Amino acid sequence: MNLALDLDSVSVVYSKGRSEEKTAVKSLSLQIPEGEIFGLLGPNGAGKTSLISVIVGLLKPSEGQCRVFGHLAGSVEARRLIGFVPQELIHHGFFTVEEILHYISGYHGLGQNKSRIDFLLKKLALDEVRNRKVNSLSGGMKRRLLICKALVHSPKLLLLDEPSAGVDVELRSQLWQFVQELHDSGTTILLTTHYLEEAQRLCKRLGIMSHAKLLALDETGHLISSLAERYLVFRLKPDFPEENLRRRGVAGLSELKTRGEWQLKIEEGANLNQSLDAVGISWDSFSDFRIETGSLEEAFLKIVGGKN
């Protein structure tokens, strides 16, 4: 297995004064294989941006080591392999959109890169504004330009730090479609986001950070199924006396009135037939039923809320 990213016991400690220090990342180890979309989640201040700063070489770890495709983070070889989309919109004064992309191409040693620039401008709907000054663009266009800058040298590893923050629904949808296309072409992607439903849909594996530590690391589906609640959702036959259920007030049973359904929480390790017997209903009382698993948000809150 070829590793795109290998973090070995990385710590980041900031000095706040002669005697005061703040640990942003604590002894974190993480391996991301080539070609994966990996999601790094956590509340504000968890240490995600500090970790990304280590990967791109903006910050040297206080302890441990980070390698990008085998190259030490911060080295010329590692920087050439990384594309980085930061949270903050970066302004470029009076350069035009096309000029700044040619400038970034030159930084990576690509003197003749027009075909790649043309492709990205069209792909990210910036072709019509290629000759406009960057400071005249809307916020959404500036966000697209950041992505163009990150991809102009065809990196093997793309780091997306809250890329959809503050963008409209249409742009967010286009962005995630393009991310999926990049993944399909072999690009490895590390994503941080507060939009958990996007992480759930896009990422094969997830890491969850809080208070500088990596608290959970697992495949997305397993993380949800192991931590989120499960429910039996059902509709009762027309002749079933539903009022009897309403009067009983059974723990774990609730009526979803707007959907005309009922929901029964399935306790971990519980026998479903016994649960139904306790409620006073049987399978032949149903006109329809399904099993639903809770969301990534539910699992996330359990991890972060229970292990701070």
Side-chain angles (χ1 to χ4, degrees):
M1 178 179 65
N2 295 325
L3 291 179
L5 189 61
D6 186 5
L7 294 154
D8 183 14
S9 302
V10 168
S11 293
V12 175
V13 180
Y14 295 106
S15 176
K16 299 176 68 176
R18 291 185 177 181
S19 60
E20 189 177 2
E21 294 181 337
K22 174 180 172 57
T23 300
V25 180
K26 185 173 182 179
S27 300
L28 189 147
S29 294
L30 173 66
Q31 289 76 42
I32 299 178
E34 186 174 0
E36 181 174 86
I37 301 183
F38 183 88
L40 185 64
L41 310 178
N44 291 331
K48 305 186 299 297
T49 298
S50 292
L51 190 63
I52 287 180
S53 296
V54 168
I55 297 168
V56 298
L58 295 174
L59 192 62
K60 186 175 181 180
S62 306
E63 294 179 3
Q65 195 175 82
C66 173
R67 291 189 174 272
V68 179
F69 291 97
H71 303 289
L72 197 64
S75 66
V76 173
E77 295 82 3
R79 288 176 185 270
R80 286 174 176 166
L81 296 169
I82 294 174
F84 176 40
V85 180
Q87 290 185 39
E88 298 83 9
L89 293 176
I90 299 174
H91 303 281
H92 297 286
F94 296 97
F95 288 104
T96 67
V97 169
E98 187 171 1
E99 284 171 346
I100 197 63
L101 292 178
H102 279 293
Y103 178 84
I104 298 297
S105 297
Y107 173 80
H108 290 286
L110 302 171
Q112 302 297 322
N113 202 29
K114 189 175 186 306
S115 60
R116 176 66 174 175
I117 291 171
D118 289 345
F119 166 77
L120 291 171
L121 290 176
K122 290 177 182 177
K123 192 69 182 178
L124 288 158
L126 289 174
D127 193 43
E128 292 185 359
V129 298
R130 65 192 303 150
N131 294 315
R132 282 178 53 181
K133 305 293 185 183
V134 174
N135 61 3
S136 72
L137 300 180
S138 67
M141 288 180 178
K142 288 175 181 175
R143 181 69 62 184
R144 296 179 196 207
L145 179 57
L146 282 181
I147 298 168
C148 287
K149 287 173 54 185
L151 294 171
V152 75
H153 60 297
S154 303
K156 294 178 67 176
L157 173 62
L158 179 62
L159 306 177
L160 300 171
D161 192 7
E162 301 287 349
S164 58
V167 303
D168 59 46
V169 174
E170 181 182 9
L171 176 54
R172 189 176 301 138
S173 176
Q174 293 172 351
L175 170 62
W176 296 135
Q177 182 179 349
F178 190 33
V179 166
Q180 190 61 60
E181 290 175 11
L182 289 168
H183 171 249
D184 293 341
S185 69
T187 305
T188 307
I189 297 166
L190 172 59
L191 164 71
T192 77
T193 179
H194 287 299
Y195 295 100
L196 300 186
E197 69 279 5
E198 294 173 346
Q200 182 174 341
R201 185 176 72 252
L202 287 167
C203 302
K204 179 182 178 181
R205 289 192 306 148
L206 295 171
I208 297 180
M209 290 185 70
S210 185
H211 288 71
K213 298 178 182 178
L214 187 64
L215 300 182
L217 174 63
D218 207 339
E219 291 192 3
T220 305
H222 186 262
L223 194 65
I224 295 170
S225 63
S226 62
L227 289 168
E229 306 290 355
R230 290 190 305 143
Y231 300 92
L232 174 67
V233 181
F234 56 89
R235 292 177 183 270
L236 293 162
K237 291 180 178 178
D239 59 350
F240 188 92
E242 294 189 47
E243 191 57 38
N244 291 349
L245 287 183
R246 295 187 184 100
R247 285 199 298 263
R248 287 176 196 167
V250 178
L253 178 68
S254 57
E255 185 177 5
L256 309 175
K257 292 183 179 180
T258 58
R259 291 157 52 180
E261 295 175 324
W262 291 80
Q263 176 178 277
L264 177 63
K265 180 180 176 182
I266 304 172
E267 300 294 343
E268 186 175 353
N271 182 302
L272 191 52
N273 287 322
Q274 291 176 344
S275 298
L276 291 178
D277 289 342
V279 176
I281 52 179
S282 59
W283 293 106
D284 59 10
S285 303
F286 299 157
S287 63
D288 188 22
F289 70 90
R290 66 185 180 277
I291 302 293
E292 289 187 352
T293 303
S295 65
L296 175 59
E297 180 178 357
E298 189 178 338
F300 174 85
L301 291 173
K302 272 193 175 182
I303 293 168
V304 173
K307 299 183 180 180
N308 281 347

